[in-house]
Amino acid sequence: MNGLRLVFDNAFIRELPGDLADAAGVRQVHGAAWSRVAPTPVRAPRLVAWSREVAAVLGLKAADVGSSRFAEVFAGNALLPGMQPWAANYGGHQFGHWAGQLGDGRAMSLGEAVGADGGRHELQLKGAGPTPYSRTADGRAVLRSSVREFLCSEAMHHLGVPTTRALSLLRTGEDVVRDMFYDGRAAPEPGAVVCRVAPSFLRFGSFELPASRGEVDLLRQLAEFCIHRDFPALLGGRADAPLATLRGEDAFDEALLAAWFREVCTRTAVMVDHWMRVGFVHGVMNTDNMSILGLTIDYGPYGWIDDFDPDWTPNTTDAQDRRYRFGWQPKIAHWNLVRLAHALSPLFDGVEALQDGLDAYVAALDAARRGAVAAKLGLVAGDRDDVASMEALEVLMHDAGIDMTRWFRALSDVDPQAPSLAPLQGAFYDEDQRVAAAPALEAWLADHAARVVADGWEPAARREAMRCANPRYVLRNYLAQQAIDRAHAGDDAGIVELLEVMRRPYDDQPGRESFAALRPDWARDRAGCSMLSCSS
Ligand code: AMP
Ligand code: MG
């Protein structure tokens, strides 16, 4: 007997209307939040990597994860008792345009596991085969994008950024055909399945789809369900009451719905501000990729800022407009929240409550930004002038081609009593640019040092706080690509090693200096290291 056991409580499919048709095949699904599906088995499941922290939360031991049963279940070849796979139905605005029904085309949830911590953890396979929402695609995922999702979601968690998690990464033993550059040269690549984990995978688009179809009943049910399952704090002492009881008591009045929307707005602001703090570019901020919980979700052609450039996007599909460029993420999140507000408007009498939520986004973003500026610059608290100082610094960093991560990490080594660029030398990509920018940067440093001295924070404590806000290690695009290249050559050890490094991003890790180095020249324009397509 092996010990791989989980307890499931599948509220989503119990409480919300579903499409139970057994018929396979792509279709429009009306009046339902989900469709019954089954994973398509694969030839030879093999575990590549797993997250010990996520396993622990689920109550799984190393022996459980290492078992052949685990590989069968988490590649989609077998189900554990209590698993009831479903694909979620949702729509979305893609690149600014309403795209209609999208849904889980290659993701399927297995169940909501009740974890060792008592929390609820939806387990979702990505790449486990077609669903009614697969449209023209195959429901599969390639190893390279699965490695990227697995590593980045864990790296983000350890950086303190709200995110979905990943339990496991498995090879399927089967190839998947992809046209990586959309140039007609489709080629087979190794396939993989990631098991993602989150309290909820509801997206803005989950609400937009029924709203777009005039399915107000379903919209209301989704909102009430989401509040009850995912935002219990909003219900106060009534959180433990069954959903049906609360409905009977008319608990979900407009005030509660307004508080919920406001909370969604606030969480979204906090999430996006974290992205800006660590230099993360999501790359595809379509409303179907925006979590209602304010979690970073759907890691596709994301990227990390090396040399500071607010106009950079990693996504080749977006190269023309660069809608999802680094510096626009806060305003795009707001645009997405406006779409969500429109979708929810049938549940409200007027627009005031929704406008109030959108205003809360602006206020929360402002507060988060001031907090992040203070933390990154080593100030007790940040005010408007500090934000302006950060903006001035960002212009200088852009002009000078400065590496974002290395600059802020090294900033804590600058002595405010004797400010100089010396500790920051290792943050420059180009010597000529460094020389040209030095006077302006020195002037900025002098102003900043004066501000720090006036602040009066005890130096050792200040330095420690700065190092907790400015990571030494981030999942630079080329690092992930190197691990992928090794995996394509049959060696998965680079993935496991990278996960280990990213588990402690704020610690100096002796012997792992190379993971904190400047992006090498060869990686500047290489596919996977600079730009990525959506083909995955
Ligand atoms: P994304 O841009 O990855 O968020 O995907 C947008 C939509 O396309 C979602 O509905 C996905 O489920 C679907 N999709 C992406 N890749 C595939 C695939 N290989 N097979 C089926 N559906 C896919
Ligand atoms: Mg998506």
Side-chain angles (χ1 to χ4, degrees):
M1 270 314 277
N2 65 65
L4 184 59
R5 276 200 189 80
L6 291 164
V7 175
F8 291 97
D9 176 37
N10 303 327
F12 190 76
I13 60 169
R14 186 178 62 236
E15 304 281 3
L16 292 169
D19 150 40
L20 299 174
D22 275 324
V26 170
R27 55 187 180 266
Q28 291 291 308
V29 175
H30 291 268
W34 53 275
S35 294
R36 184 155 70 193
V37 294
T40 305
V42 296
R43 194 164 57 219
R46 183 158 64 77
L47 184 67
V48 172
W50 58 288
S51 160
R52 72 183 85 161
E53 293 85 6
V54 177
V57 166
L58 293 170
L60 299 177
K61 301 191 173 55
D64 300 329
V65 178
S67 67
S68 58
R69 175 98 169 130
F70 183 94
E72 294 292 334
V73 170
F74 289 96
N77 286 10
L79 296 175
L80 293 175
M83 287 180 169
Q84 298 171 291
W86 73 89
N89 191 10
Y90 53 82
H93 278 83
Q94 297 188 315
F95 300 98
H97 304 283
W98 175 242
Q101 177 183 301
L102 296 167
D104 284 337
R106 56 155 164 192
M108 48 184 86
S109 293
L110 298 173
E112 298 168 39
V114 180
D117 60 353
R120 186 179 294 270
H121 308 278
E122 189 168 328
L123 307 182
Q124 183 177 81
L125 300 186
K126 189 163 174 182
T131 76
Y133 310 101
S134 297
R135 295 180 289 157
T136 58
D138 58 5
R140 293 298 185 190
V142 293
L143 180 63
R144 64 183 149 84
S145 61
S146 305
V147 168
R148 287 169 45 82
E149 172 137 24
F150 173 81
L151 285 177
C152 199
S153 59
E154 287 304 288
M156 292 281 270
H157 167 76
H158 293 296
L159 281 164
V161 184
T163 178
T164 63
R165 305 293 302 276
L167 169 64
S168 55
L169 166 66
L170 287 105
R171 287 177 180 262
T172 60
E174 293 179 4
D175 280 347
V176 177
V177 175
R178 287 289 182 273
D179 185 356
M180 184 170 158
F181 299 105
Y182 299 119
D183 62 358
R185 289 184 298 161
E189 298 184 46
V193 176
V194 170
C195 178
R196 309 196 289 192
V197 181
S200 167
F201 286 93
L202 281 169
R203 301 137 190 277
F204 291 8
S206 310
F207 302 88
E208 288 180 279
L209 182 63
S212 76
R213 290 169 166 171
E215 296 172 349
V216 178
D217 271 358
L218 178 57
L219 176 68
R220 179 175 295 283
Q221 285 183 66
L222 270 164
E224 294 175 354
F225 171 81
C226 179
I227 292 170
H228 183 248
R229 188 189 65 171
D230 301 328
F231 294 80
L234 294 175
L235 286 163
R238 293 182 294 176
D240 288 334
L243 187 53
T245 307
L246 292 170
R247 282 194 176 126
E249 293 169 357
D250 287 328
F252 299 97
D253 56 14
E254 196 167 318
L256 180 56
L257 290 167
W260 168 61
F261 179 66
R262 194 185 167 91
E263 176 74 11
V264 172
C265 291
T266 305
R267 289 195 194 192
T268 303
V270 169
M271 172 190 77
V272 170
D273 186 68
H274 274 292
W275 294 356
M276 306 312 287
R277 172 179 67 86
V278 299
F280 174 78
V281 194
H282 183 285
V284 203
M285 291 177 72
N286 295 332
T287 55
D288 52 307
N289 292 338
M290 296 291 293
S291 143
I292 203 75
L293 280 185
L295 305 173
T296 314
I297 190 173
D298 276 12
Y299 292 85
Y302 67 81
W304 292 83
I305 294 290
D306 293 314
D307 50 310
F308 188 83
D309 180 1
D311 290 332
W312 184 71
T313 175
N315 186 354
T316 50
T317 315
D318 191 25
Q320 196 69 38
D321 298 335
R322 283 175 291 135
R323 177 180 176 86
Y324 298 140
R325 66 185 73 180
F326 177 58
W328 282 11
Q329 294 185 122
K331 77 171 183 187
I332 293 291
H334 185 267
W335 191 92
N336 290 342
L337 284 164
V338 173
R339 303 280 79 71
L340 178 61
H342 276 291
L344 298 177
S345 62
L347 307 181
F348 290 83
D349 273 340
V351 296
E352 293 77 16
L354 292 164
Q355 187 56 52
D356 180 55
L358 294 170
D359 292 346
Y361 171 83
V362 176
L365 188 70
D366 198 47
R369 169 81 168 152
R370 271 185 272 118
V373 163
K376 287 189 83 66
L377 296 180
L379 303 169
V380 175
D383 61 23
R384 219 163 277 287
D385 289 343
D386 297 318
V387 172
S389 171
M390 178 63 106
E391 281 163 5
L393 171 62
E394 287 172 352
V395 171
L396 297 174
M397 289 175 72
H398 185 208
D399 291 347
I402 287 173
D403 186 85
M404 179 179 175
T405 304
R406 288 178 66 85
W407 171 275
F408 283 109
R409 183 71 177 183
L411 196 58
S412 62
D413 295 328
V414 173
D415 179 359
Q417 303 294 343
S420 103
L421 276 177
L424 297 158
Q425 299 294 342
F428 292 84
Y429 279 95
D430 183 272
E431 178 60 12
D432 291 343
Q433 275 180 297
R434 184 189 70 75
V435 171
L441 284 166
E442 277 160 357
W444 183 88
L445 267 187
D447 284 351
H448 172 61
R451 167 82 175 89
V452 170
V453 170
D455 221 22
W457 199 348
E458 196 273 315
R462 171 176 177 265
R463 184 164 184 275
E464 198 40 45
M466 284 180 81
R467 289 159 61 87
C468 293
N470 295 307
R472 176 143 161 83
Y473 302 97
V474 295
L475 188 66
R476 292 176 188 270
N477 314 305
Y478 86 92
L479 292 174
Q481 188 58 39
Q482 281 179 321
I484 291 165
D485 289 343
R486 271 174 77 180
H488 281 167
D491 172 12
D492 293 339
I495 300 166
V496 176
E497 185 181 22
L498 208 41
L499 176 63
E500 280 305 305
V501 176
M502 297 304 152
R503 286 179 65 238
R504 295 186 290 123
Y506 297 103
D507 292 353
D508 289 328
Q509 300 179 37
R512 288 174 170 162
E513 289 75 15
S514 65
F515 292 93
L518 289 173
R519 173 203 59 217
D521 261 355
W522 60 260
R524 182 184 279 269
D525 299 313
R526 231 202 90 181
C529 300
S530 56
M531 296 288 275
L532 294 120
S533 76
C534 281
S535 154
S536 59

